[in-house]
Amino acid sequence: MRMVSSCTRIPVPRIWTHFVWDERRYIVMSRVRGVELSSVWRTAGTQFKEAVAAQLANHFKELRTLRTPYGSRICSILGGPVRDFRLQYRHTGPFEDEDDFNHHGARFNHDIEFLPADMQELVAAAHSIKHDIVFTHGDLALRNIMVDGATVTAIVDWECAGWFPEHWEYCKSIFAAEWGEERDPWLRRALPVYYLEAEADSMLVRHLWRPLV
């Protein structure tokens, strides 16, 4: 959050301090005005949703201007393992490049030969596309967006942030599954859209992903 705050105009809480106590990590941060977007989204009107989606689009466009110092590596902000609840393990990597990430992370370290032929083709096609490595929030769920009226006051919960392929933000937002039946039209306004990659990722999640808890 400190990097995002110092390098962009994206609203995030101010970090006062962080510490480890009883083998747990804690962060003390400023209180953000407003409420979680999840508490008002489903009853909100079209004008409200348009305003929020437009702000998010601007914020994530700016986030994409950050450049990785680690080349093709998929990794944390400091170049180490990533934390991501969609991957095979919550802490995993770093991955040397996107091919390594696709096989050992996105595919849960499985080959795809056991999938039906049409699924194999879809996953292979999606994973053959090369993407830029960009800074990614990694958990753009409604609960992690704070609003005061129709103003986005903060994007919170950056624990899954890191350097990922550019389509990962969109795929992870679908994985979060909080946008409801009207999710896709509004999500497409807030983030760049990657249809093929998202379809392949949703298929892998349905067939291979298992929660750790």
Side-chain angles (χ1 to χ4, degrees):
M1 284 190 286
R2 284 174 173 162
M3 187 193 78
V4 173
S5 177
S6 64
C7 297
T8 75
R9 293 168 295 178
I10 298 170
V12 296
R14 179 175 180 177
I15 302 297
W16 296 106
T17 188
H18 58 90
F19 58 92
V20 177
W21 182 66
D22 195 23
E23 299 184 351
R24 293 179 180 270
R25 294 185 178 273
Y26 295 86
I27 300 177
V28 180
M29 65 187 75
S30 60
R31 185 179 181 86
V32 177
R33 76 178 192 276
V35 298
E36 294 179 1
L37 184 55
S38 58
S39 68
V40 297
W41 179 260
R42 286 169 178 79
T43 58
T46 300
Q47 188 173 2
F48 172 93
K49 293 180 177 180
E50 287 177 346
V52 169
Q55 292 169 75
L56 292 174
N58 287 332
H59 292 327
F60 279 86
K61 182 178 180 180
E62 187 174 8
L63 193 67
R64 296 295 176 265
T65 64
L66 302 179
R67 293 290 178 260
T68 175
Y70 303 108
S72 61
R73 178 180 292 187
I74 288 84
C75 55
S76 70
I77 188 173
L78 298 177
V82 295
R83 178 179 176 86
D84 194 299
F85 297 99
R86 153 65 180 82
L87 301 179
Q88 183 177 15
Y89 303 106
R90 289 182 180 177
H91 292 88
T92 186
F95 304 96
E96 289 307 310
D97 53 31
E98 190 172 0
D99 288 338
D100 186 29
F101 173 75
N102 285 337
H103 184 79
H104 294 102
R107 297 184 190 178
F108 309 98
N109 208 26
H110 286 284
D111 292 324
I112 59 173
E113 283 73 12
F114 67 93
L115 293 174
D118 57 337
M119 295 184 185
Q120 291 184 39
E121 293 175 3
L122 178 64
V123 172
H127 285 183
S128 69
I129 301 172
K130 301 304 178 185
H131 302 90
D132 290 336
I133 306 303
V134 300
F135 195 69
T136 301
H137 176 276
D139 193 11
L140 190 63
L142 297 178
R143 65 181 180 277
N144 292 331
I145 303 166
M146 300 293 293
V147 294
D148 184 14
T151 300
V152 175
T153 55
I155 298 173
V156 301
D157 197 4
W158 291 77
E159 67 176 321
C160 293
W163 302 105
F164 286 90
E166 62 192 275
H167 68 289
W168 197 243
E169 196 85 75
Y170 183 70
C171 292
K172 279 298 300 294
S173 297
I174 292 177
F175 178 78
E178 273 198 324
W179 295 71
E181 293 180 358
E182 297 182 346
R183 174 198 67 204
D184 289 343
W186 299 106
L187 191 56
R188 288 198 295 268
R189 296 190 185 198
L191 295 175
V193 178
Y194 299 86
Y195 291 109
L196 181 63
E197 294 91 328
E199 185 178 358
D201 195 69
S202 295
M203 183 180 300
L204 289 171
V205 168
R206 286 196 303 272
H207 288 272
L208 298 179
W209 184 77
R210 297 291 183 272
L212 296 178
V213 178

